[in-house]
Amino acid sequence: MHYQRPKGTADVLPGDSDKWHYVEETARLLFEDYQYHEIRTPLFESFEIFSRSSGDTSDVVTKEMYDFHDKGDRHIALRPEGTAGVVRAYVENKLYGPEYAKPYKAFYIGPMFRYERPQSGRQRQFHQIGVEAFGSDSPALDVEVISMALAFFKQLGVSGLRVAVNTLGDKKSRDDYHQALVDYLKPHFDELSKDSQERLEKNPLRVLDSKEPEDQKFVADAPSILDYLTDDARNHFEQVKQFMDALGIDYVIDPTMVRGLDYYNHTIFEVMVNSKVLGHGYTTICGGGRYSGLVKELGGPDDTGIGFAIGLERLMLLLESEKVAIPEKNKLDVYVVGIGDETNAETLKLVEAIREAGFSANRDYMNRKPKAQFKSANKEAASFVITIGQAELESKTAHFKSMASGEEVSLPLDDLYKDFSKIYDKYTGE
RNA sequence: GCGGUAGUGGUGAAGUGGUUAACACACCGGUUUGUGGAUCCGGCACGCGUGGGUUCGAUUCCCACCUACCGCCCCA
């Protein structure tokens, strides 16, 4: 009991890992259908990759980064999110080159790290599945990305989702709105909550996100970003809505929605769910949006990108609470019971032969009595039990028992070794 | 980083300032010795998160720390 895992980390144990595999495989198969291919980037990057991309005001950079100096005095950070590393790889490997299809589509699955207080569905090492598409401004791509996220949840059997969409417009829209919002809130500064007073200085848009009642009465009458969009920005957003409608996607427009990372513009969206396991009210399990300037910021061309990230810990909690069925696998086909030490070699040969024939097999390694071994076979839900004792050894046979029916027959060992699948099929069919 | 609740065996848990820490589940063994999912019997915490302190004596009282859970901040 002396050692315990670091705060905010978790062990995914055998059994649980099946669920993770299922979710990850579902994502891989689906995203490949959309022609997104997996990219694997390092778990750590130069600190600067994240500080430049996330923006100086984001909490992710200012207080949640796991960073350190390595032995070569390089300033390193464990990745707090996936986009920055993918953008870096896009630039470094010149994936914007003419030989690659545009948009360039990639997805990632893996751990992220943030130094924060653990809570339900929030760990210091947590996992995300995310996608990114570079090099196209098409609103159709925005909608495809949102649709893909929804298709993923649908395939997993998650229901009761709420899709919220907003736009942050382009640079000019955002700047104009920023100013308008500050102008509106400044006179009420003293009436705002303490947190929001701070937000007003650092990142005024965040005030819109406040849950404090004293803030919300101002938020209600605050100017809307939608009134400050340039023609281009408005046009983009209109098309997004139009395509969403064309796909029959149910969504709400939430002009107060903000995103945590500074690099977003134009379309942003969240997929939310109302589940008590994740806290009160609607919580976000998938967030994303369009970003421009990020590729350029990290030394590439002026390409835009769009993507989303799904928090896997939250998703796993959700699947559990919704009792979403995970397909079972790795059933035990055969348990081999050996009676007496002299059968030790034969039972070992037999389980190996059965495995080689493509079936799963197990045996006892604790020198336990037949009864105890049968108990194990039962507990492990073996379909069949093969028993070998002194007598069988001499007659070169084995008892073959169906655990479901209780029927037991004697078979030549040679048959078991030669064509196990034939025997398996014969007695499974009955 | 702030606030709240909690921490007893593999699990769920009861409990008390003082000889053997209840009960249940699980597990292991036995029930005439080579066969499961039932019954019965037996075994299973030298220690009650860690470290200090108070006390003749603490798992039980006090302090600190660690961890988990919830809320805030923020976010997936």
Side-chain angles (χ1 to χ4, degrees), chain A residues 191-221:
Chain A
E191 299 163 73
L192 292 171
S193 70
K194 204 166 143 279
D195 284 334
S196 283
Q197 291 181 353
E198 212 172 297
R199 291 187 185 106
L200 188 52
E201 316 253 302
K202 281 168 53 184
N203 191 347
L205 294 199
R206 297 228 69 91
V207 176
L208 300 176
D209 239 5
S210 174
K211 290 166 196 130
E212 301 294 333
E214 65 255 52
D215 295 335
Q216 279 176 346
K217 63 174 183 250
F218 295 116
V219 171
D221 297 323

PDB file of all heavy atoms in Angstrom, chain A residues 191-221:
ATOM      1  N   GLU A 191     -20.671  45.365 -10.544  1.00  0.00           N
ATOM      2  CA  GLU A 191     -21.792  44.462 -10.253  1.00  0.00           C
ATOM      3  C   GLU A 191     -21.490  43.017 -10.664  1.00  0.00           C
ATOM      4  O   GLU A 191     -22.242  42.108 -10.331  1.00  0.00           O
ATOM      5  CB  GLU A 191     -23.052  44.938 -10.991  1.00  0.00           C
ATOM      6  CG  GLU A 191     -23.489  46.337 -10.569  1.00  0.00           C
ATOM      7  CD  GLU A 191     -24.445  46.942 -11.578  1.00  0.00           C
ATOM      8  OE1 GLU A 191     -25.607  46.500 -11.625  1.00  0.00           O
ATOM      9  OE2 GLU A 191     -24.013  47.833 -12.334  1.00  0.00           O
ATOM     10  N   LEU A 192     -20.423  42.848 -11.413  1.00  0.00           N
ATOM     11  CA  LEU A 192     -20.094  41.499 -11.868  1.00  0.00           C
ATOM     12  C   LEU A 192     -19.471  40.680 -10.737  1.00  0.00           C
ATOM     13  O   LEU A 192     -18.964  41.225  -9.763  1.00  0.00           O
ATOM     14  CB  LEU A 192     -19.089  41.558 -13.031  1.00  0.00           C
ATOM     15  CG  LEU A 192     -19.616  42.144 -14.342  1.00  0.00           C
ATOM     16  CD1 LEU A 192     -18.469  42.346 -15.327  1.00  0.00           C
ATOM     17  CD2 LEU A 192     -20.684  41.244 -14.943  1.00  0.00           C
ATOM     18  N   SER A 193     -19.537  39.377 -10.912  1.00  0.00           N
ATOM     19  CA  SER A 193     -18.898  38.497  -9.938  1.00  0.00           C
ATOM     20  C   SER A 193     -17.388  38.707 -10.000  1.00  0.00           C
ATOM     21  O   SER A 193     -16.856  39.219 -10.982  1.00  0.00           O
ATOM     22  CB  SER A 193     -19.223  37.037 -10.248  1.00  0.00           C
ATOM     23  OG  SER A 193     -18.572  36.641 -11.434  1.00  0.00           O
ATOM     24  N   LYS A 194     -16.741  38.286  -8.948  1.00  0.00           N
ATOM     25  CA  LYS A 194     -15.300  38.485  -8.867  1.00  0.00           C
ATOM     26  C   LYS A 194     -14.597  37.780 -10.024  1.00  0.00           C
ATOM     27  O   LYS A 194     -13.677  38.318 -10.637  1.00  0.00           O
ATOM     28  CB  LYS A 194     -14.800  37.922  -7.531  1.00  0.00           C
ATOM     29  CG  LYS A 194     -13.498  38.538  -7.063  1.00  0.00           C
ATOM     30  CD  LYS A 194     -13.252  38.204  -5.606  1.00  0.00           C
ATOM     31  CE  LYS A 194     -11.767  37.956  -5.341  1.00  0.00           C
ATOM     32  NZ  LYS A 194     -11.331  36.598  -5.719  1.00  0.00           N
ATOM     33  N   ASP A 195     -15.053  36.562 -10.300  1.00  0.00           N
ATOM     34  CA  ASP A 195     -14.448  35.810 -11.397  1.00  0.00           C
ATOM     35  C   ASP A 195     -14.600  36.546 -12.719  1.00  0.00           C
ATOM     36  O   ASP A 195     -13.671  36.617 -13.525  1.00  0.00           O
ATOM     37  CB  ASP A 195     -15.099  34.420 -11.505  1.00  0.00           C
ATOM     38  CG  ASP A 195     -14.602  33.474 -10.419  1.00  0.00           C
ATOM     39  OD1 ASP A 195     -13.476  33.684  -9.930  1.00  0.00           O
ATOM     40  OD2 ASP A 195     -15.344  32.556 -10.041  1.00  0.00           O
ATOM     41  N   SER A 196     -15.776  37.073 -12.906  1.00  0.00           N
ATOM     42  CA  SER A 196     -16.039  37.719 -14.188  1.00  0.00           C
ATOM     43  C   SER A 196     -15.297  39.044 -14.322  1.00  0.00           C
ATOM     44  O   SER A 196     -14.948  39.462 -15.430  1.00  0.00           O
ATOM     45  CB  SER A 196     -17.543  37.951 -14.370  1.00  0.00           C
ATOM     46  OG  SER A 196     -18.167  36.739 -14.729  1.00  0.00           O
ATOM     47  N   GLN A 197     -15.052  39.685 -13.201  1.00  0.00           N
ATOM     48  CA  GLN A 197     -14.250  40.909 -13.270  1.00  0.00           C
ATOM     49  C   GLN A 197     -12.860  40.576 -13.813  1.00  0.00           C
ATOM     50  O   GLN A 197     -12.290  41.314 -14.613  1.00  0.00           O
ATOM     51  CB  GLN A 197     -14.131  41.532 -11.873  1.00  0.00           C
ATOM     52  CG  GLN A 197     -15.462  42.082 -11.381  1.00  0.00           C
ATOM     53  CD  GLN A 197     -15.362  42.724 -10.017  1.00  0.00           C
ATOM     54  OE1 GLN A 197     -14.337  42.655  -9.359  1.00  0.00           O
ATOM     55  NE2 GLN A 197     -16.460  43.349  -9.598  1.00  0.00           N
ATOM     56  N   GLU A 198     -12.387  39.422 -13.372  1.00  0.00           N
ATOM     57  CA  GLU A 198     -11.084  38.987 -13.858  1.00  0.00           C
ATOM     58  C   GLU A 198     -11.162  38.583 -15.324  1.00  0.00           C
ATOM     59  O   GLU A 198     -10.279  38.895 -16.121  1.00  0.00           O
ATOM     60  CB  GLU A 198     -10.627  37.799 -13.016  1.00  0.00           C
ATOM     61  CG  GLU A 198      -9.124  37.711 -12.823  1.00  0.00           C
ATOM     62  CD  GLU A 198      -8.792  36.620 -11.826  1.00  0.00           C
ATOM     63  OE1 GLU A 198      -9.203  36.739 -10.651  1.00  0.00           O
ATOM     64  OE2 GLU A 198      -8.164  35.633 -12.248  1.00  0.00           O
ATOM     65  N   ARG A 199     -12.249  37.904 -15.657  1.00  0.00           N
ATOM     66  CA  ARG A 199     -12.417  37.467 -17.053  1.00  0.00           C
ATOM     67  C   ARG A 199     -12.457  38.663 -17.990  1.00  0.00           C
ATOM     68  O   ARG A 199     -11.935  38.627 -19.100  1.00  0.00           O
ATOM     69  CB  ARG A 199     -13.731  36.690 -17.214  1.00  0.00           C
ATOM     70  CG  ARG A 199     -13.751  35.330 -16.536  1.00  0.00           C
ATOM     71  CD  ARG A 199     -15.033  34.617 -16.912  1.00  0.00           C
ATOM     72  NE  ARG A 199     -15.189  33.352 -16.219  1.00  0.00           N
ATOM     73  CZ  ARG A 199     -16.034  33.152 -15.218  1.00  0.00           C
ATOM     74  NH1 ARG A 199     -16.815  34.140 -14.772  1.00  0.00           N
ATOM     75  NH2 ARG A 199     -16.124  31.973 -14.643  1.00  0.00           N
ATOM     76  N   LEU A 200     -13.105  39.736 -17.508  1.00  0.00           N
ATOM     77  CA  LEU A 200     -13.275  40.922 -18.339  1.00  0.00           C
ATOM     78  C   LEU A 200     -11.905  41.462 -18.743  1.00  0.00           C
ATOM     79  O   LEU A 200     -11.725  41.967 -19.853  1.00  0.00           O
ATOM     80  CB  LEU A 200     -14.081  41.976 -17.577  1.00  0.00           C
ATOM     81  CG  LEU A 200     -14.514  43.217 -18.359  1.00  0.00           C
ATOM     82  CD1 LEU A 200     -15.234  42.810 -19.644  1.00  0.00           C
ATOM     83  CD2 LEU A 200     -15.416  44.086 -17.518  1.00  0.00           C
ATOM     84  N   GLU A 201     -10.949  41.338 -17.872  1.00  0.00           N
ATOM     85  CA  GLU A 201      -9.602  41.806 -18.172  1.00  0.00           C
ATOM     86  C   GLU A 201      -8.913  40.833 -19.120  1.00  0.00           C
ATOM     87  O   GLU A 201      -8.302  41.236 -20.097  1.00  0.00           O
ATOM     88  CB  GLU A 201      -8.762  41.873 -16.892  1.00  0.00           C
ATOM     89  CG  GLU A 201      -9.487  42.485 -15.717  1.00  0.00           C
ATOM     90  CD  GLU A 201      -8.982  43.880 -15.398  1.00  0.00           C
ATOM     91  OE1 GLU A 201      -7.794  44.009 -15.138  1.00  0.00           O
ATOM     92  OE2 GLU A 201      -9.806  44.818 -15.420  1.00  0.00           O
ATOM     93  N   LYS A 202      -8.996  39.561 -18.798  1.00  0.00           N
ATOM     94  CA  LYS A 202      -8.207  38.573 -19.518  1.00  0.00           C
ATOM     95  C   LYS A 202      -8.849  38.092 -20.806  1.00  0.00           C
ATOM     96  O   LYS A 202      -8.204  37.967 -21.843  1.00  0.00           O
ATOM     97  CB  LYS A 202      -7.952  37.346 -18.616  1.00  0.00           C
ATOM     98  CG  LYS A 202      -6.837  37.564 -17.609  1.00  0.00           C
ATOM     99  CD  LYS A 202      -6.798  36.473 -16.558  1.00  0.00           C
ATOM    100  CE  LYS A 202      -6.742  35.082 -17.169  1.00  0.00           C
ATOM    101  NZ  LYS A 202      -6.807  34.025 -16.137  1.00  0.00           N
ATOM    102  N   ASN A 203     -10.120  37.759 -20.723  1.00  0.00           N
ATOM    103  CA  ASN A 203     -10.793  37.154 -21.872  1.00  0.00           C
ATOM    104  C   ASN A 203     -12.293  37.392 -21.749  1.00  0.00           C
ATOM    105  O   ASN A 203     -13.029  36.538 -21.263  1.00  0.00           O
ATOM    106  CB  ASN A 203     -10.476  35.651 -21.902  1.00  0.00           C
ATOM    107  CG  ASN A 203     -10.926  35.016 -23.208  1.00  0.00           C
ATOM    108  OD1 ASN A 203     -11.683  35.629 -23.974  1.00  0.00           O
ATOM    109  ND2 ASN A 203     -10.480  33.800 -23.451  1.00  0.00           N
ATOM    110  N   PRO A 204     -12.721  38.571 -22.200  1.00  0.00           N
ATOM    111  CA  PRO A 204     -14.104  39.001 -21.967  1.00  0.00           C
ATOM    112  C   PRO A 204     -15.154  37.999 -22.445  1.00  0.00           C
ATOM    113  O   PRO A 204     -16.225  37.895 -21.843  1.00  0.00           O
ATOM    114  CB  PRO A 204     -14.209  40.298 -22.761  1.00  0.00           C
ATOM    115  CG  PRO A 204     -12.808  40.760 -22.939  1.00  0.00           C
ATOM    116  CD  PRO A 204     -11.959  39.540 -22.972  1.00  0.00           C
ATOM    117  N   LEU A 205     -14.844  37.267 -23.520  1.00  0.00           N
ATOM    118  CA  LEU A 205     -15.852  36.341 -24.039  1.00  0.00           C
ATOM    119  C   LEU A 205     -16.250  35.311 -22.977  1.00  0.00           C
ATOM    120  O   LEU A 205     -17.369  34.796 -22.988  1.00  0.00           O
ATOM    121  CB  LEU A 205     -15.323  35.599 -25.273  1.00  0.00           C
ATOM    122  CG  LEU A 205     -15.041  36.417 -26.537  1.00  0.00           C
ATOM    123  CD1 LEU A 205     -14.978  35.512 -27.754  1.00  0.00           C
ATOM    124  CD2 LEU A 205     -16.083  37.496 -26.749  1.00  0.00           C
ATOM    125  N   ARG A 206     -15.336  35.037 -22.095  1.00  0.00           N
ATOM    126  CA  ARG A 206     -15.603  34.022 -21.083  1.00  0.00           C
ATOM    127  C   ARG A 206     -16.700  34.444 -20.106  1.00  0.00           C
ATOM    128  O   ARG A 206     -17.315  33.597 -19.459  1.00  0.00           O
ATOM    129  CB  ARG A 206     -14.336  33.685 -20.295  1.00  0.00           C
ATOM    130  CG  ARG A 206     -13.230  33.087 -21.114  1.00  0.00           C
ATOM    131  CD  ARG A 206     -12.681  31.843 -20.436  1.00  0.00           C
ATOM    132  NE  ARG A 206     -13.647  30.781 -20.456  1.00  0.00           N
ATOM    133  CZ  ARG A 206     -13.744  29.859 -21.408  1.00  0.00           C
ATOM    134  NH1 ARG A 206     -12.905  29.872 -22.414  1.00  0.00           N
ATOM    135  NH2 ARG A 206     -14.662  28.926 -21.358  1.00  0.00           N
ATOM    136  N   VAL A 207     -16.908  35.730 -19.993  1.00  0.00           N
ATOM    137  CA  VAL A 207     -17.974  36.211 -19.107  1.00  0.00           C
ATOM    138  C   VAL A 207     -19.304  35.607 -19.556  1.00  0.00           C
ATOM    139  O   VAL A 207     -20.172  35.293 -18.731  1.00  0.00           O
ATOM    140  CB  VAL A 207     -18.054  37.756 -19.120  1.00  0.00           C
ATOM    141  CG1 VAL A 207     -19.230  38.242 -18.275  1.00  0.00           C
ATOM    142  CG2 VAL A 207     -16.747  38.359 -18.604  1.00  0.00           C
ATOM    143  N   LEU A 208     -19.427  35.413 -20.852  1.00  0.00           N
ATOM    144  CA  LEU A 208     -20.684  34.864 -21.380  1.00  0.00           C
ATOM    145  C   LEU A 208     -20.933  33.460 -20.836  1.00  0.00           C
ATOM    146  O   LEU A 208     -22.064  32.989 -20.786  1.00  0.00           O
ATOM    147  CB  LEU A 208     -20.614  34.798 -22.911  1.00  0.00           C
ATOM    148  CG  LEU A 208     -20.409  36.127 -23.628  1.00  0.00           C
ATOM    149  CD1 LEU A 208     -20.267  35.902 -25.122  1.00  0.00           C
ATOM    150  CD2 LEU A 208     -21.577  37.069 -23.352  1.00  0.00           C
ATOM    151  N   ASP A 209     -19.879  32.806 -20.443  1.00  0.00           N
ATOM    152  CA  ASP A 209     -19.955  31.426 -19.979  1.00  0.00           C
ATOM    153  C   ASP A 209     -20.292  31.307 -18.500  1.00  0.00           C
ATOM    154  O   ASP A 209     -20.535  30.220 -17.997  1.00  0.00           O
ATOM    155  CB  ASP A 209     -18.591  30.756 -20.200  1.00  0.00           C
ATOM    156  CG  ASP A 209     -18.688  29.545 -21.107  1.00  0.00           C
ATOM    157  OD1 ASP A 209     -19.796  29.307 -21.622  1.00  0.00           O
ATOM    158  OD2 ASP A 209     -17.678  28.874 -21.301  1.00  0.00           O
ATOM    159  N   SER A 210     -20.300  32.422 -17.828  1.00  0.00           N
ATOM    160  CA  SER A 210     -20.417  32.414 -16.366  1.00  0.00           C
ATOM    161  C   SER A 210     -21.719  31.782 -15.893  1.00  0.00           C
ATOM    162  O   SER A 210     -22.769  31.904 -16.506  1.00  0.00           O
ATOM    163  CB  SER A 210     -20.336  33.833 -15.826  1.00  0.00           C
ATOM    164  OG  SER A 210     -20.599  33.820 -14.440  1.00  0.00           O
ATOM    165  N   LYS A 211     -21.603  31.068 -14.770  1.00  0.00           N
ATOM    166  CA  LYS A 211     -22.795  30.447 -14.199  1.00  0.00           C
ATOM    167  C   LYS A 211     -23.361  31.295 -13.067  1.00  0.00           C
ATOM    168  O   LYS A 211     -24.425  30.989 -12.525  1.00  0.00           O
ATOM    169  CB  LYS A 211     -22.439  29.056 -13.657  1.00  0.00           C
ATOM    170  CG  LYS A 211     -22.124  28.059 -14.748  1.00  0.00           C
ATOM    171  CD  LYS A 211     -21.451  26.810 -14.197  1.00  0.00           C
ATOM    172  CE  LYS A 211     -20.790  26.016 -15.311  1.00  0.00           C
ATOM    173  NZ  LYS A 211     -19.402  25.680 -14.991  1.00  0.00           N
ATOM    174  N   GLU A 212     -22.649  32.361 -12.707  1.00  0.00           N
ATOM    175  CA  GLU A 212     -23.104  33.195 -11.592  1.00  0.00           C
ATOM    176  C   GLU A 212     -24.366  33.958 -11.986  1.00  0.00           C
ATOM    177  O   GLU A 212     -24.417  34.581 -13.039  1.00  0.00           O
ATOM    178  CB  GLU A 212     -22.010  34.201 -11.204  1.00  0.00           C
ATOM    179  CG  GLU A 212     -20.705  33.577 -10.787  1.00  0.00           C
ATOM    180  CD  GLU A 212     -20.825  32.781  -9.504  1.00  0.00           C
ATOM    181  OE1 GLU A 212     -21.716  33.099  -8.685  1.00  0.00           O
ATOM    182  OE2 GLU A 212     -20.047  31.824  -9.336  1.00  0.00           O
ATOM    183  N   PRO A 213     -25.375  33.919 -11.105  1.00  0.00           N
ATOM    184  CA  PRO A 213     -26.627  34.618 -11.393  1.00  0.00           C
ATOM    185  C   PRO A 213     -26.422  36.115 -11.629  1.00  0.00           C
ATOM    186  O   PRO A 213     -27.048  36.699 -12.523  1.00  0.00           O
ATOM    187  CB  PRO A 213     -27.462  34.394 -10.129  1.00  0.00           C
ATOM    188  CG  PRO A 213     -26.853  33.205  -9.459  1.00  0.00           C
ATOM    189  CD  PRO A 213     -25.412  33.210  -9.828  1.00  0.00           C
ATOM    190  N   GLU A 214     -25.535  36.711 -10.839  1.00  0.00           N
ATOM    191  CA  GLU A 214     -25.353  38.161 -11.000  1.00  0.00           C
ATOM    192  C   GLU A 214     -24.753  38.514 -12.358  1.00  0.00           C
ATOM    193  O   GLU A 214     -24.950  39.618 -12.860  1.00  0.00           O
ATOM    194  CB  GLU A 214     -24.485  38.729  -9.864  1.00  0.00           C
ATOM    195  CG  GLU A 214     -23.050  38.233  -9.837  1.00  0.00           C
ATOM    196  CD  GLU A 214     -22.835  37.215  -8.718  1.00  0.00           C
ATOM    197  OE1 GLU A 214     -23.617  36.239  -8.664  1.00  0.00           O
ATOM    198  OE2 GLU A 214     -21.902  37.403  -7.919  1.00  0.00           O
ATOM    199  N   ASP A 215     -24.049  37.570 -12.942  1.00  0.00           N
ATOM    200  CA  ASP A 215     -23.496  37.826 -14.271  1.00  0.00           C
ATOM    201  C   ASP A 215     -24.532  37.579 -15.353  1.00  0.00           C
ATOM    202  O   ASP A 215     -24.585  38.268 -16.366  1.00  0.00           O
ATOM    203  CB  ASP A 215     -22.297  36.905 -14.538  1.00  0.00           C
ATOM    204  CG  ASP A 215     -21.148  37.197 -13.598  1.00  0.00           C
ATOM    205  OD1 ASP A 215     -21.070  38.333 -13.107  1.00  0.00           O
ATOM    206  OD2 ASP A 215     -20.362  36.274 -13.359  1.00  0.00           O
ATOM    207  N   GLN A 216     -25.354  36.574 -15.111  1.00  0.00           N
ATOM    208  CA  GLN A 216     -26.239  36.137 -16.182  1.00  0.00           C
ATOM    209  C   GLN A 216     -27.278  37.184 -16.579  1.00  0.00           C
ATOM    210  O   GLN A 216     -27.717  37.222 -17.721  1.00  0.00           O
ATOM    211  CB  GLN A 216     -26.902  34.818 -15.793  1.00  0.00           C
ATOM    212  CG  GLN A 216     -25.949  33.656 -16.052  1.00  0.00           C
ATOM    213  CD  GLN A 216     -26.472  32.318 -15.614  1.00  0.00           C
ATOM    214  OE1 GLN A 216     -27.451  32.256 -14.869  1.00  0.00           O
ATOM    215  NE2 GLN A 216     -25.826  31.257 -16.048  1.00  0.00           N
ATOM    216  N   LYS A 217     -27.632  38.042 -15.642  1.00  0.00           N
ATOM    217  CA  LYS A 217     -28.602  39.064 -16.028  1.00  0.00           C
ATOM    218  C   LYS A 217     -27.990  40.047 -17.026  1.00  0.00           C
ATOM    219  O   LYS A 217     -28.700  40.643 -17.835  1.00  0.00           O
ATOM    220  CB  LYS A 217     -29.164  39.780 -14.795  1.00  0.00           C
ATOM    221  CG  LYS A 217     -28.188  40.553 -13.965  1.00  0.00           C
ATOM    222  CD  LYS A 217     -28.971  41.302 -12.868  1.00  0.00           C
ATOM    223  CE  LYS A 217     -28.046  42.174 -12.030  1.00  0.00           C
ATOM    224  NZ  LYS A 217     -27.862  41.676 -10.685  1.00  0.00           N
ATOM    225  N   PHE A 218     -26.672  40.207 -16.960  1.00  0.00           N
ATOM    226  CA  PHE A 218     -26.021  41.064 -17.954  1.00  0.00           C
ATOM    227  C   PHE A 218     -25.796  40.291 -19.254  1.00  0.00           C
ATOM    228  O   PHE A 218     -25.942  40.838 -20.335  1.00  0.00           O
ATOM    229  CB  PHE A 218     -24.672  41.570 -17.422  1.00  0.00           C
ATOM    230  CG  PHE A 218     -24.832  42.463 -16.233  1.00  0.00           C
ATOM    231  CD1 PHE A 218     -24.334  42.090 -14.998  1.00  0.00           C
ATOM    232  CD2 PHE A 218     -25.518  43.677 -16.341  1.00  0.00           C
ATOM    233  CE1 PHE A 218     -24.482  42.906 -13.896  1.00  0.00           C
ATOM    234  CE2 PHE A 218     -25.672  44.495 -15.243  1.00  0.00           C
ATOM    235  CZ  PHE A 218     -25.160  44.112 -14.010  1.00  0.00           C
ATOM    236  N   VAL A 219     -25.469  39.026 -19.086  1.00  0.00           N
ATOM    237  CA  VAL A 219     -25.229  38.199 -20.271  1.00  0.00           C
ATOM    238  C   VAL A 219     -26.483  38.165 -21.140  1.00  0.00           C
ATOM    239  O   VAL A 219     -26.413  38.221 -22.369  1.00  0.00           O
ATOM    240  CB  VAL A 219     -24.830  36.770 -19.860  1.00  0.00           C
ATOM    241  CG1 VAL A 219     -24.790  35.849 -21.073  1.00  0.00           C
ATOM    242  CG2 VAL A 219     -23.464  36.797 -19.178  1.00  0.00           C
ATOM    243  N   ALA A 220     -27.627  38.122 -20.495  1.00  0.00           N
ATOM    244  CA  ALA A 220     -28.887  38.023 -21.222  1.00  0.00           C
ATOM    245  C   ALA A 220     -29.064  39.181 -22.207  1.00  0.00           C
ATOM    246  O   ALA A 220     -29.573  38.977 -23.315  1.00  0.00           O
ATOM    247  CB  ALA A 220     -30.051  37.978 -20.236  1.00  0.00           C
ATOM    248  N   ASP A 221     -28.643  40.355 -21.810  1.00  0.00           N
ATOM    249  CA  ASP A 221     -28.827  41.525 -22.682  1.00  0.00           C
ATOM    250  C   ASP A 221     -27.548  41.941 -23.396  1.00  0.00           C
ATOM    251  O   ASP A 221     -27.504  42.999 -24.018  1.00  0.00           O
ATOM    252  CB  ASP A 221     -29.336  42.715 -21.850  1.00  0.00           C
ATOM    253  CG  ASP A 221     -30.700  42.410 -21.248  1.00  0.00           C
ATOM    254  OD1 ASP A 221     -31.506  41.749 -21.929  1.00  0.00           O
ATOM    255  OD2 ASP A 221     -30.944  42.818 -20.090  1.00  0.00           O
TER     256      ASP A 221
END
